[in-house]
Amino acid sequence: MKTIGLIGGMSWESTVTYYRIINETIKDRLGGLHSAKCILYSVDFDEIERYQSSGEWGKSAAVLVEAAQALEKAGADFIVICTNTMHKVAPDISERIHIPILHIADMTAIALKKAAIRTVGLLGTKYTMLEDFYKAVLMDNDIEVVIPDNEDIKTVNRIIYDELCLGIISEESKNTYLKIISKLSKEGAQGIILGCTEIGLLIKQSDTDIPSFDTTLIHAEQAALEAIK
């Protein structure tokens, strides 16, 4: 079994889900008392968020490079960055380590193609929704991406940082997200990417008839499968 190197803490609430899903998948596939071989480097999210909001992506990249290098030295066979947004600096990290990164957008694209989704709505932080580092991976896989309007982008982003990253789960915010998802569906989205690792704490497939793709679950499951491949 390969050893998974997890860069977590962004936020720790969703990192817990990664650990659970990885181990549940290993147990399901191998049975018995099997569990995952993994190493976790959990960063201080407050520091990362300050670099995000001030546009100092180079500094946030340096923090994650240090984490990835530590995981590599500790024996990790590949890296899993437990967040969508920080895949913006995945190329910077790849250049400084000698083991692969299991990219969350690549894994999501595979899931979308398997489900025959050609047009998808994307929810996430404002960086993930507005910038190209994530959407480009999907478009390279011939998947059209639809994002919310400017006001809804602000709302989605605010709920992520002010509520979900703090462990606050609000029924009002859930209903707000569901209304935004409905709008994206009317604009042609055949499915919805829950493209922030915290959104799955708020929105479940049972909440909507529109196929949803929880990137946390997708990424964690694929990490487990890669470990035992």
Side-chain angles (χ1 to χ4, degrees):
M1 187 189 302
K2 296 177 185 176
T3 299
I4 307 168
L6 299 165
I7 303 179
M10 301 169 284
S11 65
W12 68 261
E13 280 86 356
S14 60
T15 303
V16 171
T17 304
Y18 268 89
Y19 187 74
R20 177 176 60 81
I21 295 299
I22 287 170
N23 280 287
E24 285 178 351
T25 303
I26 293 289
K27 181 180 179 181
D28 180 63
R29 293 302 178 105
L30 301 183
L33 297 175
H34 283 289
S35 56
K37 293 174 62 179
C38 59
I39 309 166
L40 171 63
Y41 191 117
S42 189
V43 302
D44 180 2
F45 189 35
D46 182 80
E47 179 184 15
I48 296 296
E49 192 282 326
R50 283 189 282 109
Y51 292 149
Q52 288 177 348
S53 59
S54 62
E56 297 178 286
W57 293 96
K59 289 184 178 180
S60 63
V63 174
L64 298 199
V65 165
E66 181 181 353
Q69 290 175 335
L71 290 168
E72 182 177 18
K73 289 177 182 177
D77 293 299
F78 63 97
I79 297 295
V80 173
I81 307 170
C82 303
T83 164
N84 287 270
T85 299
M86 293 312 296
H87 279 75
K88 177 180 171 70
V89 301
D92 303 87
I93 300 170
S94 292
E95 291 176 358
R96 301 290 299 278
I97 58 176
H98 304 93
I99 56 176
I101 294 174
L102 194 72
H103 200 291
I104 195 168
D106 287 331
M107 299 303 102
T108 302
I110 291 170
L112 290 167
K113 293 173 80 171
K114 186 176 180 180
I117 301 292
R118 302 305 299 270
T119 303
V120 69
L122 174 61
L123 300 181
T125 67
K126 62 183 179 181
Y127 313 107
T128 301
M129 291 186 284
L130 291 173
E131 298 186 30
D132 290 334
F133 68 91
Y134 194 96
K135 293 184 291 185
V137 176
L138 302 175
M139 292 186 286
D140 285 346
N141 282 274
D142 298 319
I143 299 168
E144 182 181 350
V145 181
V146 182
I147 62 173
D149 61 34
N150 288 334
E151 284 305 310
D152 284 346
I153 285 173
K154 292 177 183 177
T155 298
V156 170
N157 188 75
R158 176 187 59 77
I159 290 172
I160 289 170
Y161 283 100
D162 293 352
E163 297 180 20
L164 301 182
C165 287
L166 297 173
I168 299 170
I169 306 301
S170 161
E171 194 67 26
E172 180 181 354
S173 293
K174 174 186 283 193
N175 291 332
T176 298
Y177 267 46
L178 291 175
K179 288 177 183 177
I180 294 171
I181 288 171
S182 179
K183 288 182 188 178
L184 293 174
S185 177
K186 291 176 182 176
E187 292 175 18
Q190 300 166 305
I192 301 294
I193 297 174
L194 307 183
C196 171
T197 52
E198 281 77 33
I199 296 178
L201 301 173
L202 182 67
I203 300 294
K204 310 295 182 186
Q205 182 60 76
S206 57
D207 295 318
T208 176
D209 293 330
I210 305 165
S212 62
F213 296 83
D214 186 335
T215 53
T216 305
L217 305 184
I218 292 168
H219 202 202
E221 181 178 352
Q222 290 304 313
L225 296 178
E226 177 66 23
I228 60 176
K229 188 168 65 176

